[in-house]
PDB file of all heavy atoms in Angstrom:
ATOM      1  N   GLY H   8      -1.294   4.016   3.058  1.00  0.00           N
ATOM      2  CA  GLY H   8      -1.159   2.558   2.949  1.00  0.00           C
ATOM      3  C   GLY H   8      -1.126   1.965   4.333  1.00  0.00           C
ATOM      4  O   GLY H   8      -0.753   2.638   5.294  1.00  0.00           O
ATOM      5  N   PRO H   9      -1.509   0.694   4.458  1.00  0.00           N
ATOM      6  CA  PRO H   9      -1.478   0.057   5.778  1.00  0.00           C
ATOM      7  C   PRO H   9      -0.047  -0.115   6.281  1.00  0.00           C
ATOM      8  O   PRO H   9       0.897  -0.016   5.493  1.00  0.00           O
ATOM      9  CB  PRO H   9      -2.131  -1.309   5.522  1.00  0.00           C
ATOM     10  CG  PRO H   9      -1.994  -1.544   4.072  1.00  0.00           C
ATOM     11  CD  PRO H   9      -1.969  -0.209   3.407  1.00  0.00           C
ATOM     12  N   PRO H  10       0.128  -0.397   7.569  1.00  0.00           N
ATOM     13  CA  PRO H  10       1.479  -0.626   8.092  1.00  0.00           C
ATOM     14  C   PRO H  10       2.108  -1.795   7.343  1.00  0.00           C
ATOM     15  O   PRO H  10       1.447  -2.803   7.107  1.00  0.00           O
ATOM     16  CB  PRO H  10       1.238  -1.000   9.567  1.00  0.00           C
ATOM     17  CG  PRO H  10      -0.201  -1.358   9.668  1.00  0.00           C
ATOM     18  CD  PRO H  10      -0.911  -0.580   8.601  1.00  0.00           C
ATOM     19  N   GLY H  11       3.355  -1.640   6.937  1.00  0.00           N
ATOM     20  CA  GLY H  11       4.046  -2.728   6.246  1.00  0.00           C
ATOM     21  C   GLY H  11       3.841  -2.737   4.744  1.00  0.00           C
ATOM     22  O   GLY H  11       4.364  -3.591   4.038  1.00  0.00           O
ATOM     23  N   LYS H  14       5.250   2.058   2.471  1.00  0.00           N
ATOM     24  CA  LYS H  14       5.163   3.534   2.386  1.00  0.00           C
ATOM     25  C   LYS H  14       6.505   4.180   2.686  1.00  0.00           C
ATOM     26  O   LYS H  14       6.980   5.028   1.961  1.00  0.00           O
ATOM     27  CB  LYS H  14       4.251   4.148   3.449  1.00  0.00           C
ATOM     28  CG  LYS H  14       2.846   3.858   3.503  1.00  0.00           C
ATOM     29  CD  LYS H  14       2.121   4.802   4.455  1.00  0.00           C
ATOM     30  CE  LYS H  14       2.431   4.726   5.939  1.00  0.00           C
ATOM     31  NZ  LYS H  14       2.367   3.472   6.625  1.00  0.00           N
ATOM     32  N   GLY H  15       7.072   3.768   3.838  1.00  0.00           N
ATOM     33  CA  GLY H  15       8.318   4.385   4.308  1.00  0.00           C
ATOM     34  C   GLY H  15       9.455   4.168   3.315  1.00  0.00           C
ATOM     35  O   GLY H  15      10.186   5.104   2.989  1.00  0.00           O
ATOM     36  N   SER H  31       8.503  11.592   7.846  1.00  0.00           N
ATOM     37  CA  SER H  31       7.866  10.383   8.380  1.00  0.00           C
ATOM     38  C   SER H  31       7.480  10.637   9.832  1.00  0.00           C
ATOM     39  O   SER H  31       8.345  10.787  10.696  1.00  0.00           O
ATOM     40  CB  SER H  31       8.843   9.203   8.293  1.00  0.00           C
ATOM     41  OG  SER H  31       8.477   8.203   9.232  1.00  0.00           O
ATOM     42  N   THR H  32       6.175  10.689  10.101  1.00  0.00           N
ATOM     43  CA  THR H  32       5.750  10.991  11.473  1.00  0.00           C
ATOM     44  C   THR H  32       6.128   9.848  12.422  1.00  0.00           C
ATOM     45  O   THR H  32       6.486  10.084  13.572  1.00  0.00           O
ATOM     46  CB  THR H  32       4.242  11.296  11.545  1.00  0.00           C
ATOM     47  OG1 THR H  32       3.526  10.295  10.821  1.00  0.00           O
ATOM     48  CG2 THR H  32       3.931  12.659  10.995  1.00  0.00           C
ATOM     49  N   GLY H  33       6.105   8.602  11.922  1.00  0.00           N
ATOM     50  CA  GLY H  33       6.505   7.461  12.749  1.00  0.00           C
ATOM     51  C   GLY H  33       7.964   7.600  13.183  1.00  0.00           C
ATOM     52  O   GLY H  33       8.313   7.383  14.347  1.00  0.00           O
ATOM     53  N   GLU H  34       8.801   8.012  12.244  1.00  0.00           N
ATOM     54  CA  GLU H  34      10.230   8.193  12.505  1.00  0.00           C
ATOM     55  C   GLU H  34      10.460   9.331  13.518  1.00  0.00           C
ATOM     56  O   GLU H  34      11.240   9.193  14.460  1.00  0.00           O
ATOM     57  CB  GLU H  34      10.891   8.574  11.158  1.00  0.00           C
ATOM     58  CG  GLU H  34      12.377   8.382  11.082  1.00  0.00           C
ATOM     59  CD  GLU H  34      12.762   6.929  11.165  1.00  0.00           C
ATOM     60  OE1 GLU H  34      12.220   6.134  10.389  1.00  0.00           O
ATOM     61  OE2 GLU H  34      13.575   6.613  12.047  1.00  0.00           O
ATOM     62  N   LEU H  36       8.372  10.384  15.750  1.00  0.00           N
ATOM     63  CA  LEU H  36       7.908   9.926  17.070  1.00  0.00           C
ATOM     64  C   LEU H  36       8.888   8.940  17.684  1.00  0.00           C
ATOM     65  O   LEU H  36       9.169   9.003  18.885  1.00  0.00           O
ATOM     66  CB  LEU H  36       6.514   9.286  16.946  1.00  0.00           C
ATOM     67  CG  LEU H  36       5.372  10.251  16.601  1.00  0.00           C
ATOM     68  CD1 LEU H  36       4.116   9.484  16.199  1.00  0.00           C
ATOM     69  CD2 LEU H  36       5.058  11.177  17.771  1.00  0.00           C
ATOM     70  N   ARG H  37       9.454   8.057  16.865  1.00  0.00           N
ATOM     71  CA  ARG H  37      10.433   7.089  17.403  1.00  0.00           C
ATOM     72  C   ARG H  37      11.667   7.827  17.938  1.00  0.00           C
ATOM     73  O   ARG H  37      12.233   7.449  18.950  1.00  0.00           O
ATOM     74  CB  ARG H  37      10.823   6.047  16.336  1.00  0.00           C
ATOM     75  CG  ARG H  37       9.768   4.950  16.177  1.00  0.00           C
ATOM     76  CD  ARG H  37      10.223   3.815  15.276  1.00  0.00           C
ATOM     77  NE  ARG H  37      10.248   4.184  13.874  1.00  0.00           N
ATOM     78  CZ  ARG H  37       9.182   4.209  13.080  1.00  0.00           C
ATOM     79  NH1 ARG H  37       7.996   3.871  13.547  1.00  0.00           N
ATOM     80  NH2 ARG H  37       9.295   4.561  11.811  1.00  0.00           N
ATOM     81  N   LEU H  50       4.446   8.226  24.712  1.00  0.00           N
ATOM     82  CA  LEU H  50       4.503   7.800  23.314  1.00  0.00           C
ATOM     83  C   LEU H  50       4.849   6.320  23.209  1.00  0.00           C
ATOM     84  O   LEU H  50       4.254   5.586  22.429  1.00  0.00           O
ATOM     85  CB  LEU H  50       5.557   8.609  22.537  1.00  0.00           C
ATOM     86  CG  LEU H  50       5.246  10.082  22.298  1.00  0.00           C
ATOM     87  CD1 LEU H  50       6.420  10.767  21.609  1.00  0.00           C
ATOM     88  CD2 LEU H  50       3.973  10.240  21.455  1.00  0.00           C
ATOM     89  N   ILE H  53       1.817   4.125  23.956  1.00  0.00           N
ATOM     90  CA  ILE H  53       0.802   4.126  22.888  1.00  0.00           C
ATOM     91  C   ILE H  53       1.316   3.379  21.655  1.00  0.00           C
ATOM     92  O   ILE H  53       0.643   2.513  21.096  1.00  0.00           O
ATOM     93  CB  ILE H  53       0.454   5.579  22.487  1.00  0.00           C
ATOM     94  CG1 ILE H  53      -0.120   6.344  23.687  1.00  0.00           C
ATOM     95  CG2 ILE H  53      -0.523   5.608  21.318  1.00  0.00           C
ATOM     96  CD1 ILE H  53      -0.182   7.849  23.501  1.00  0.00           C
ATOM     97  N   MET H  54       2.546   3.716  21.244  1.00  0.00           N
ATOM     98  CA  MET H  54       3.062   3.157  19.993  1.00  0.00           C
ATOM     99  C   MET H  54       3.379   1.672  20.114  1.00  0.00           C
ATOM    100  O   MET H  54       3.143   0.914  19.180  1.00  0.00           O
ATOM    101  CB  MET H  54       4.295   3.937  19.536  1.00  0.00           C
ATOM    102  CG  MET H  54       3.909   5.319  19.035  1.00  0.00           C
ATOM    103  SD  MET H  54       5.327   6.370  18.818  1.00  0.00           S
ATOM    104  CE  MET H  54       6.114   5.615  17.416  1.00  0.00           C
ATOM    105  N   SER H  55       3.883   1.259  21.255  1.00  0.00           N
ATOM    106  CA  SER H  55       4.210  -0.168  21.354  1.00  0.00           C
ATOM    107  C   SER H  55       2.941  -1.008  21.435  1.00  0.00           C
ATOM    108  O   SER H  55       2.965  -2.210  21.182  1.00  0.00           O
ATOM    109  CB  SER H  55       5.167  -0.453  22.512  1.00  0.00           C
ATOM    110  OG  SER H  55       4.583  -0.028  23.702  1.00  0.00           O
ATOM    111  N   ALA H  56       1.796  -0.370  21.730  1.00  0.00           N
ATOM    112  CA  ALA H  56       0.527  -1.102  21.707  1.00  0.00           C
ATOM    113  C   ALA H  56      -0.115  -1.055  20.311  1.00  0.00           C
ATOM    114  O   ALA H  56      -1.135  -1.702  20.070  1.00  0.00           O
ATOM    115  CB  ALA H  56      -0.425  -0.501  22.731  1.00  0.00           C
ATOM    116  N   GLY H  57       0.463  -0.271  19.410  1.00  0.00           N
ATOM    117  CA  GLY H  57      -0.061  -0.197  18.049  1.00  0.00           C
ATOM    118  C   GLY H  57      -1.200   0.800  17.886  1.00  0.00           C
ATOM    119  O   GLY H  57      -1.897   0.811  16.875  1.00  0.00           O
ATOM    120  N   LYS H  58      -1.400   1.644  18.908  1.00  0.00           N
ATOM    121  CA  LYS H  58      -2.488   2.641  18.849  1.00  0.00           C
ATOM    122  C   LYS H  58      -2.008   3.918  18.183  1.00  0.00           C
ATOM    123  O   LYS H  58      -0.798   4.142  18.057  1.00  0.00           O
ATOM    124  CB  LYS H  58      -2.939   2.990  20.282  1.00  0.00           C
ATOM    125  CG  LYS H  58      -3.370   1.811  21.084  1.00  0.00           C
ATOM    126  CD  LYS H  58      -4.850   1.690  20.999  1.00  0.00           C
ATOM    127  CE  LYS H  58      -5.337   0.652  21.996  1.00  0.00           C
ATOM    128  NZ  LYS H  58      -6.622   0.149  21.675  1.00  0.00           N
ATOM    129  N   LEU H  59      -2.951   4.776  17.853  1.00  0.00           N
ATOM    130  CA  LEU H  59      -2.576   6.060  17.259  1.00  0.00           C
ATOM    131  C   LEU H  59      -2.277   7.079  18.355  1.00  0.00           C
ATOM    132  O   LEU H  59      -2.973   7.140  19.369  1.00  0.00           O
ATOM    133  CB  LEU H  59      -3.706   6.594  16.369  1.00  0.00           C
ATOM    134  CG  LEU H  59      -3.969   5.835  15.070  1.00  0.00           C
ATOM    135  CD1 LEU H  59      -5.110   6.483  14.294  1.00  0.00           C
ATOM    136  CD2 LEU H  59      -2.720   5.766  14.203  1.00  0.00           C
ATOM    137  N   VAL H  60      -1.257   7.879  18.113  1.00  0.00           N
ATOM    138  CA  VAL H  60      -0.893   8.971  19.025  1.00  0.00           C
ATOM    139  C   VAL H  60      -1.904  10.109  18.802  1.00  0.00           C
ATOM    140  O   VAL H  60      -2.493  10.220  17.717  1.00  0.00           O
ATOM    141  CB  VAL H  60       0.565   9.413  18.720  1.00  0.00           C
ATOM    142  CG1 VAL H  60       0.958  10.638  19.509  1.00  0.00           C
ATOM    143  CG2 VAL H  60       1.519   8.252  18.990  1.00  0.00           C
ATOM    144  N   SER H  61      -2.105  10.966  19.814  1.00  0.00           N
ATOM    145  CA  SER H  61      -3.176  11.962  19.724  1.00  0.00           C
ATOM    146  C   SER H  61      -2.970  12.957  18.583  1.00  0.00           C
ATOM    147  O   SER H  61      -1.835  13.275  18.200  1.00  0.00           O
ATOM    148  CB  SER H  61      -3.294  12.723  21.045  1.00  0.00           C
ATOM    149  OG  SER H  61      -2.286  13.712  21.105  1.00  0.00           O
ATOM    150  N   ASP H  62      -4.088  13.433  18.067  1.00  0.00           N
ATOM    151  CA  ASP H  62      -4.048  14.410  16.963  1.00  0.00           C
ATOM    152  C   ASP H  62      -3.288  15.666  17.370  1.00  0.00           C
ATOM    153  O   ASP H  62      -2.558  16.241  16.555  1.00  0.00           O
ATOM    154  CB  ASP H  62      -5.480  14.794  16.559  1.00  0.00           C
ATOM    155  CG  ASP H  62      -6.199  13.639  15.885  1.00  0.00           C
ATOM    156  OD1 ASP H  62      -5.522  12.834  15.217  1.00  0.00           O
ATOM    157  OD2 ASP H  62      -7.427  13.537  16.030  1.00  0.00           O
ATOM    158  N   LEU H  65       0.419  15.108  16.988  1.00  0.00           N
ATOM    159  CA  LEU H  65       0.792  14.986  15.576  1.00  0.00           C
ATOM    160  C   LEU H  65       0.692  16.308  14.829  1.00  0.00           C
ATOM    161  O   LEU H  65       1.587  16.680  14.073  1.00  0.00           O
ATOM    162  CB  LEU H  65      -0.100  13.937  14.904  1.00  0.00           C
ATOM    163  CG  LEU H  65       0.492  12.539  14.804  1.00  0.00           C
ATOM    164  CD1 LEU H  65       1.758  12.564  13.952  1.00  0.00           C
ATOM    165  CD2 LEU H  65       0.815  11.937  16.141  1.00  0.00           C
ATOM    166  N   ASN H  66      -0.394  17.032  15.071  1.00  0.00           N
ATOM    167  CA  ASN H  66      -0.577  18.290  14.343  1.00  0.00           C
ATOM    168  C   ASN H  66       0.513  19.296  14.705  1.00  0.00           C
ATOM    169  O   ASN H  66       1.000  20.036  13.854  1.00  0.00           O
ATOM    170  CB  ASN H  66      -1.972  18.866  14.621  1.00  0.00           C
ATOM    171  CG  ASN H  66      -3.059  18.027  13.956  1.00  0.00           C
ATOM    172  OD1 ASN H  66      -2.771  17.246  13.053  1.00  0.00           O
ATOM    173  ND2 ASN H  66      -4.294  18.179  14.408  1.00  0.00           N
ATOM    174  N   VAL H  69       3.736  18.238  12.880  1.00  0.00           N
ATOM    175  CA  VAL H  69       3.685  18.491  11.440  1.00  0.00           C
ATOM    176  C   VAL H  69       3.713  19.994  11.148  1.00  0.00           C
ATOM    177  O   VAL H  69       4.414  20.447  10.240  1.00  0.00           O
ATOM    178  CB  VAL H  69       2.448  17.797  10.808  1.00  0.00           C
ATOM    179  CG1 VAL H  69       2.213  18.254   9.389  1.00  0.00           C
ATOM    180  CG2 VAL H  69       2.655  16.287  10.839  1.00  0.00           C
ATOM    181  N   ASP H  84       4.680  11.000   5.028  1.00  0.00           N
ATOM    182  CA  ASP H  84       4.661   9.537   5.154  1.00  0.00           C
ATOM    183  C   ASP H  84       4.088   9.208   6.540  1.00  0.00           C
ATOM    184  O   ASP H  84       4.770   9.373   7.542  1.00  0.00           O
ATOM    185  CB  ASP H  84       6.110   9.048   4.957  1.00  0.00           C
ATOM    186  CG  ASP H  84       6.367   7.642   5.496  1.00  0.00           C
ATOM    187  OD1 ASP H  84       5.396   6.911   5.760  1.00  0.00           O
ATOM    188  OD2 ASP H  84       7.553   7.289   5.633  1.00  0.00           O
ATOM    189  N   GLY H  85       2.813   8.819   6.560  1.00  0.00           N
ATOM    190  CA  GLY H  85       2.195   8.477   7.847  1.00  0.00           C
ATOM    191  C   GLY H  85       1.316   9.586   8.412  1.00  0.00           C
ATOM    192  O   GLY H  85       0.878   9.509   9.557  1.00  0.00           O
ATOM    193  N   TYR H  86       1.048  10.592   7.631  1.00  0.00           N
ATOM    194  CA  TYR H  86       0.200  11.720   8.039  1.00  0.00           C
ATOM    195  C   TYR H  86      -0.480  12.272   6.794  1.00  0.00           C
ATOM    196  O   TYR H  86       0.194  12.379   5.769  1.00  0.00           O
ATOM    197  CB  TYR H  86       1.064  12.811   8.679  1.00  0.00           C
ATOM    198  CG  TYR H  86       0.274  14.017   9.183  1.00  0.00           C
ATOM    199  CD1 TYR H  86      -0.119  14.103  10.500  1.00  0.00           C
ATOM    200  CD2 TYR H  86      -0.080  15.047   8.319  1.00  0.00           C
ATOM    201  CE1 TYR H  86      -0.846  15.192  10.955  1.00  0.00           C
ATOM    202  CE2 TYR H  86      -0.810  16.132   8.767  1.00  0.00           C
ATOM    203  CZ  TYR H  86      -1.185  16.199  10.089  1.00  0.00           C
ATOM    204  OH  TYR H  86      -1.912  17.276  10.543  1.00  0.00           O
ATOM    205  N   PRO H  87      -1.758  12.601   6.811  1.00  0.00           N
ATOM    206  CA  PRO H  87      -2.694  12.508   7.921  1.00  0.00           C
ATOM    207  C   PRO H  87      -3.246  11.083   8.076  1.00  0.00           C
ATOM    208  O   PRO H  87      -3.440  10.386   7.104  1.00  0.00           O
ATOM    209  CB  PRO H  87      -3.802  13.468   7.498  1.00  0.00           C
ATOM    210  CG  PRO H  87      -3.794  13.432   5.999  1.00  0.00           C
ATOM    211  CD  PRO H  87      -2.372  13.208   5.609  1.00  0.00           C
ATOM    212  N   ARG H  88      -3.500  10.713   9.326  1.00  0.00           N
ATOM    213  CA  ARG H  88      -4.033   9.379   9.606  1.00  0.00           C
ATOM    214  C   ARG H  88      -5.455   9.437  10.154  1.00  0.00           C
ATOM    215  O   ARG H  88      -6.085   8.398  10.310  1.00  0.00           O
ATOM    216  CB  ARG H  88      -3.155   8.680  10.639  1.00  0.00           C
ATOM    217  CG  ARG H  88      -2.183   7.642  10.044  1.00  0.00           C
ATOM    218  CD  ARG H  88      -1.313   7.179  11.180  1.00  0.00           C
ATOM    219  NE  ARG H  88      -0.714   5.901  11.019  1.00  0.00           N
ATOM    220  CZ  ARG H  88       0.581   5.710  10.769  1.00  0.00           C
ATOM    221  NH1 ARG H  88       1.373   6.727  10.560  1.00  0.00           N
ATOM    222  NH2 ARG H  88       1.079   4.498  10.711  1.00  0.00           N
ATOM    223  N   THR H  89      -5.929  10.613  10.505  1.00  0.00           N
ATOM    224  CA  THR H  89      -7.309  10.749  11.006  1.00  0.00           C
ATOM    225  C   THR H  89      -7.970  11.917  10.267  1.00  0.00           C
ATOM    226  O   THR H  89      -7.279  12.747   9.663  1.00  0.00           O
ATOM    227  CB  THR H  89      -7.338  11.070  12.517  1.00  0.00           C
ATOM    228  OG1 THR H  89      -6.772  12.377  12.710  1.00  0.00           O
ATOM    229  CG2 THR H  89      -6.556  10.073  13.352  1.00  0.00           C
ATOM    230  N   GLN H  92      -6.748  15.208  11.562  1.00  0.00           N
ATOM    231  CA  GLN H  92      -5.436  15.573  10.989  1.00  0.00           C
ATOM    232  C   GLN H  92      -5.584  16.072   9.555  1.00  0.00           C
ATOM    233  O   GLN H  92      -4.907  17.019   9.138  1.00  0.00           O
ATOM    234  CB  GLN H  92      -4.486  14.365  11.022  1.00  0.00           C
ATOM    235  CG  GLN H  92      -4.074  13.958  12.431  1.00  0.00           C
ATOM    236  CD  GLN H  92      -3.206  12.708  12.463  1.00  0.00           C
ATOM    237  OE1 GLN H  92      -2.635  12.288  11.464  1.00  0.00           O
ATOM    238  NE2 GLN H  92      -3.103  12.097  13.640  1.00  0.00           N
ATOM    239  N   ARG H 127      10.439  -7.792   9.062  1.00  0.00           N
ATOM    240  CA  ARG H 127      10.973  -6.495   9.472  1.00  0.00           C
ATOM    241  C   ARG H 127      11.241  -6.459  10.968  1.00  0.00           C
ATOM    242  O   ARG H 127      12.196  -5.846  11.423  1.00  0.00           O
ATOM    243  CB  ARG H 127       9.989  -5.377   9.080  1.00  0.00           C
ATOM    244  CG  ARG H 127      10.550  -3.993   9.304  1.00  0.00           C
ATOM    245  CD  ARG H 127       9.680  -2.916   8.691  1.00  0.00           C
ATOM    246  NE  ARG H 127       8.450  -2.687   9.428  1.00  0.00           N
ATOM    247  CZ  ARG H 127       7.532  -1.802   9.070  1.00  0.00           C
ATOM    248  NH1 ARG H 127       7.686  -1.087   7.980  1.00  0.00           N
ATOM    249  NH2 ARG H 127       6.447  -1.636   9.782  1.00  0.00           N
ATOM    250  N   ARG H 133      11.805  -3.307  15.890  1.00  0.00           N
ATOM    251  CA  ARG H 133      10.817  -2.309  16.302  1.00  0.00           C
ATOM    252  C   ARG H 133       9.830  -2.955  17.256  1.00  0.00           C
ATOM    253  O   ARG H 133       9.323  -4.037  16.985  1.00  0.00           O
ATOM    254  CB  ARG H 133      10.056  -1.792  15.071  1.00  0.00           C
ATOM    255  CG  ARG H 133      10.737  -0.620  14.415  1.00  0.00           C
ATOM    256  CD  ARG H 133       9.991  -0.184  13.175  1.00  0.00           C
ATOM    257  NE  ARG H 133       8.583   0.170  13.416  1.00  0.00           N
ATOM    258  CZ  ARG H 133       7.835   0.772  12.504  1.00  0.00           C
ATOM    259  NH1 ARG H 133       8.339   1.102  11.332  1.00  0.00           N
ATOM    260  NH2 ARG H 133       6.582   1.064  12.749  1.00  0.00           N
ATOM    261  N   ASP H 135       6.842  -2.254  17.855  1.00  0.00           N
ATOM    262  CA  ASP H 135       5.455  -2.344  17.406  1.00  0.00           C
ATOM    263  C   ASP H 135       5.315  -3.261  16.198  1.00  0.00           C
ATOM    264  O   ASP H 135       4.364  -3.216  15.470  1.00  0.00           O
ATOM    265  CB  ASP H 135       4.887  -0.953  17.092  1.00  0.00           C
ATOM    266  CG  ASP H 135       5.680  -0.213  16.028  1.00  0.00           C
ATOM    267  OD1 ASP H 135       6.766  -0.701  15.652  1.00  0.00           O
ATOM    268  OD2 ASP H 135       5.212   0.841  15.582  1.00  0.00           O
ATOM    269  N   ASP H 136       6.320  -4.107  15.947  1.00  0.00           N
ATOM    270  CA  ASP H 136       6.289  -4.999  14.796  1.00  0.00           C
ATOM    271  C   ASP H 136       6.125  -6.461  15.165  1.00  0.00           C
ATOM    272  O   ASP H 136       6.752  -7.324  14.578  1.00  0.00           O
ATOM    273  CB  ASP H 136       7.594  -4.842  13.992  1.00  0.00           C
ATOM    274  CG  ASP H 136       7.410  -3.881  12.826  1.00  0.00           C
ATOM    275  OD1 ASP H 136       6.285  -3.401  12.623  1.00  0.00           O
ATOM    276  OD2 ASP H 136       8.398  -3.633  12.126  1.00  0.00           O
ATOM    277  N   VAL H 140       0.608  -6.831  17.935  1.00  0.00           N
ATOM    278  CA  VAL H 140       0.517  -5.383  17.750  1.00  0.00           C
ATOM    279  C   VAL H 140       0.128  -5.044  16.309  1.00  0.00           C
ATOM    280  O   VAL H 140      -0.629  -4.117  16.071  1.00  0.00           O
ATOM    281  CB  VAL H 140       1.848  -4.693  18.157  1.00  0.00           C
ATOM    282  CG1 VAL H 140       1.784  -3.207  17.896  1.00  0.00           C
ATOM    283  CG2 VAL H 140       2.140  -4.953  19.623  1.00  0.00           C
ATOM    284  N   ARG H 144      -2.532  -2.405  14.859  1.00  0.00           N
ATOM    285  CA  ARG H 144      -2.170  -1.339  13.918  1.00  0.00           C
ATOM    286  C   ARG H 144      -2.995  -1.447  12.637  1.00  0.00           C
ATOM    287  O   ARG H 144      -3.405  -0.445  12.073  1.00  0.00           O
ATOM    288  CB  ARG H 144      -0.667  -1.397  13.592  1.00  0.00           C
ATOM    289  CG  ARG H 144       0.187  -1.084  14.805  1.00  0.00           C
ATOM    290  CD  ARG H 144       1.650  -1.259  14.511  1.00  0.00           C
ATOM    291  NE  ARG H 144       2.124  -0.313  13.513  1.00  0.00           N
ATOM    292  CZ  ARG H 144       3.169  -0.520  12.718  1.00  0.00           C
ATOM    293  NH1 ARG H 144       3.851  -1.625  12.790  1.00  0.00           N
ATOM    294  NH2 ARG H 144       3.530   0.396  11.867  1.00  0.00           N
ATOM    295  N   GLU H 147      -6.490  -0.196  13.381  1.00  0.00           N
ATOM    296  CA  GLU H 147      -6.474   1.270  13.427  1.00  0.00           C
ATOM    297  C   GLU H 147      -6.500   1.813  11.996  1.00  0.00           C
ATOM    298  O   GLU H 147      -7.183   2.785  11.692  1.00  0.00           O
ATOM    299  CB  GLU H 147      -5.203   1.798  14.124  1.00  0.00           C
ATOM    300  CG  GLU H 147      -5.162   1.576  15.623  1.00  0.00           C
ATOM    301  CD  GLU H 147      -5.936   2.624  16.404  1.00  0.00           C
ATOM    302  OE1 GLU H 147      -6.986   3.088  15.931  1.00  0.00           O
ATOM    303  OE2 GLU H 147      -5.492   2.969  17.518  1.00  0.00           O
ATOM    304  N   THR H 152      -7.677   5.277   9.346  1.00  0.00           N
ATOM    305  CA  THR H 152      -6.896   5.889   8.262  1.00  0.00           C
ATOM    306  C   THR H 152      -7.466   5.597   6.879  1.00  0.00           C
ATOM    307  O   THR H 152      -7.423   6.447   5.989  1.00  0.00           O
ATOM    308  CB  THR H 152      -5.420   5.439   8.361  1.00  0.00           C
ATOM    309  OG1 THR H 152      -5.002   5.660   9.708  1.00  0.00           O
ATOM    310  CG2 THR H 152      -4.542   6.220   7.418  1.00  0.00           C
TER     311      THR H 152
HETATM  312  P1  AMP G 201       4.629   4.349  11.115  1.00  0.00           P
HETATM  313  O1  AMP G 201       6.113   4.318  11.179  1.00  0.00           O
HETATM  314  O2  AMP G 201       4.104   5.372  10.141  1.00  0.00           O
HETATM  315  O3  AMP G 201       4.029   2.988  10.894  1.00  0.00           O
HETATM  316  O4  AMP G 201       4.117   4.835  12.555  1.00  0.00           O
HETATM  317  C1  AMP G 201       4.428   4.112  13.729  1.00  0.00           C
HETATM  318  C2  AMP G 201       3.479   4.518  14.861  1.00  0.00           C
HETATM  319  O5  AMP G 201       3.607   5.920  15.133  1.00  0.00           O
HETATM  320  C3  AMP G 201       1.992   4.319  14.567  1.00  0.00           C
HETATM  321  O6  AMP G 201       1.564   2.993  14.795  1.00  0.00           O
HETATM  322  C4  AMP G 201       1.374   5.308  15.550  1.00  0.00           C
HETATM  323  O7  AMP G 201       1.413   4.809  16.874  1.00  0.00           O
HETATM  324  C5  AMP G 201       2.347   6.475  15.488  1.00  0.00           C
HETATM  325  N1  AMP G 201       1.966   7.454  14.418  1.00  0.00           N
HETATM  326  C6  AMP G 201       2.688   7.786  13.321  1.00  0.00           C
HETATM  327  N2  AMP G 201       2.057   8.706  12.578  1.00  0.00           N
HETATM  328  C7  AMP G 201       0.893   8.972  13.232  1.00  0.00           C
HETATM  329  C8  AMP G 201      -0.206   9.826  12.975  1.00  0.00           C
HETATM  330  N3  AMP G 201      -0.260  10.592  11.865  1.00  0.00           N
HETATM  331  N4  AMP G 201      -1.225   9.840  13.865  1.00  0.00           N
HETATM  332  C9  AMP G 201      -1.199   9.086  14.984  1.00  0.00           C
HETATM  333  N5  AMP G 201      -0.201   8.245  15.289  1.00  0.00           N
HETATM  334  C10 AMP G 201       0.845   8.187  14.429  1.00  0.00           C
END
Side-chain angles (χ1 to χ4, degrees):
K14 297 192 294 308
S31 158
T32 47
E34 199 66 53
L36 291 167
R37 281 188 287 279
L50 291 176
I53 299 166
M54 289 168 70
S55 59
K58 304 264 190 200
L59 290 180
V60 173
S61 80
D62 291 329
L65 264 298
N66 290 342
V69 169
D84 161 16
Y86 182 95
R88 258 174 157 107
T89 66
Q92 292 176 17
R127 188 170 73 181
R133 272 177 57 169
D135 58 351
D136 263 357
V140 177
R144 294 175 65 206
E147 289 278 36
T152 310

